Amino acid sequence: MPLYEFYCPKCAKEVSLTLTFGERERGEYKCPACGEKALQPLMGTFFSKTSRKS
Ligand SMILES: [Zn+2]
């Protein structure tokens, strides 16, 4: 699963979340520290370890 980075306005820091594509599409994510759901996606920063297991 890809790792997405968000900015949490409550914690005032960046958080990294591992989400499925569907979870991200539906906005089913929250800050692991404070539970804030209004996370701001950091543009262009997602890492997937090019795991090509087919
Ligand atoms: Zn937070």
Side-chain angles (χ1 to χ4, degrees):
M1 280 189 284
L3 180 67
Y4 296 96
E5 292 200 331
F6 298 88
Y7 175 78
C8 176
K10 280 192 177 179
C11 297
K13 67 177 183 180
E14 298 175 7
V15 295
S16 299
L17 299 175
T18 304
L19 304 171
T20 66
F21 191 74
E23 285 174 335
R24 183 184 173 277
E25 282 291 291
R26 294 190 297 270
E28 293 178 353
Y29 48 78
K30 61 183 179 180
C31 176
C34 70
E36 173 60 56
K37 291 183 178 178
L39 300 180
Q40 302 169 7
L42 296 179
M43 299 298 288
T45 55
F46 76 92
F47 306 93
S48 62
K49 292 182 180 178
T50 42
S51 58
R52 296 180 183 176
K53 43 183 177 181
S54 58

